[in-house]
Amino acid sequence: EAGVTQFPSHSVIEKGQTVTLRCDPISGHDNLYWYRRVMGKEIKFLLHFVKESKQDESGMPNNRFLAERTGGTYSTLKVQPAELEDSGVYFCASSQLEGTEAFFGQGTRLTVV
Amino acid sequence: AQSVTQPDIHITVSEGASLELRCNYSYGATPYLFWYVQSPGQGLQLLLKYFSGDTLVQGIKGFEAEFKRSQSSFNLRKPSVHWSDAAEYFCAVGASVTGANNLFFGTGTRLTVIP
């Protein structure tokens, strides 16, 4: 069974540009989560989807970040326009139902220069 | 406020030696506690979790952790470290033992294993 897959693994963009990160959860997993780790700091929760609906987006830092999950399958996280402080590793996780373990992807390392 | 503290940024141990990684938490309700590991190029993998019952929990890869409510701690231990244990370890606390909604992570402890 394929795990949680994130694309790209690494992205370098200039300040002011737009970047879109993608997460493919494990097939059949209704719950999808986005987390972010800024360099040297803790991993922080961004948001939680249940199917295509945003269940909890309390961790989204500002309106430059837009997360979508069309059709309840894969999810995208767009940063527009990117700022230097957005650099970090973005993790995605998925879980099947309430009451099950979540599985994390390998992360996307975003560098804004 | 909820938070997790991992006081050791980097630990180096010899292969075969014992290991203890420290974790302290602050949480306003009943804490659900987790340890994750990230090996190079891999995603976060759940090592073990605690939500109730026996305060000593066993996980995968020979790891265990002990919950001490009086000390607000959830330290991770392994009696004999293998070179493949070199990785970064994260302690986390949340409101549920399942899923991954709104977990609070520590800053991580990087483990180096020397021959």
Side-chain angles (χ1 to χ4, degrees):
Chain A
E1 177 182 287
V4 176
T5 309
Q6 295 187 242
F7 305 95
S9 58
H10 193 182
S11 178
V12 181
I13 63 170
E14 293 183 351
K15 176 182 171 181
Q17 289 186 323
T18 297
V19 63
T20 300
L21 313 181
R22 173 170 168 149
C23 170
D24 285 51
I26 294 172
S27 178
H29 281 196
D30 289 334
N31 293 285
L32 188 149
Y33 315 85
W34 282 99
Y35 280 81
R36 175 174 76 166
R37 186 186 189 196
V38 173
M39 185 65 68
K41 299 200 172 180
E42 67 273 17
I43 301 170
K44 283 194 172 181
F45 170 77
L46 296 178
L47 85 161
H48 170 205
F49 283 100
V50 176
K51 297 186 179 179
E52 67 275 9
S53 299
K54 293 175 184 174
Q55 187 77 10
D56 181 352
E57 53 184 327
S58 60
M60 294 289 268
N62 52 61
N63 59 10
R64 296 186 293 102
F65 289 76
L66 175 64
E68 294 180 320
R69 193 182 182 194
T70 307
T73 55
Y74 70 91
S75 175
T76 58
L77 180 65
K78 180 190 289 187
V79 185
Q80 179 183 30
E83 298 290 345
L84 298 178
E85 64 264 25
D86 300 332
S87 295
V89 180
Y90 290 75
F91 292 99
C92 175
S94 71
S95 65
Q96 187 171 20
L97 293 167
E98 288 300 318
T100 60
E101 178 184 341
F103 295 87
F104 280 79
Q106 82 281 11
T108 293
R109 181 175 295 277
L110 174 64
T111 303
V112 183
V113 297
Chain B
Q2 297 91 334
S3 67
V4 173
T5 301
Q6 293 181 248
D8 303 306
I9 296 173
H10 187 194
I11 284 182
T12 299
V13 300
S14 298
E15 191 168 14
S18 63
L19 171 71
E20 183 168 25
L21 302 183
R22 295 182 290 166
C23 171
N24 291 95
Y25 68 89
S26 173
Y27 200 70
T30 301
Y32 296 90
L33 295 156
F34 307 81
W35 274 99
Y36 286 86
V37 60
Q38 186 179 24
S39 300
Q42 304 295 314
L44 293 167
Q45 181 182 22
L46 180 65
L47 282 176
L48 48 78
K49 59 188 176 186
Y50 171 80
F51 60 99
S52 69
D54 193 346
T55 56
L56 184 64
V57 293
Q58 303 296 320
I60 62 171
K61 304 184 179 187
F63 285 91
E64 65 180 26
E66 186 172 12
F67 171 62
K68 292 185 178 179
R69 184 184 298 276
S70 61
Q71 298 177 20
S72 297
S73 70
F74 189 56
N75 294 348
L76 182 71
R77 301 194 294 247
K78 186 169 184 177
S80 178
V81 169
H82 188 262
W83 64 267
S84 61
D85 293 324
E88 192 159 19
Y89 293 79
F90 297 90
C91 181
V93 64
S96 171
V97 72
T98 58
N101 184 48
N102 220 340
L103 295 175
F104 291 85
F105 284 85
T107 50
T109 297
R110 182 168 297 280
L111 174 66
T112 297
V113 181
I114 56 176

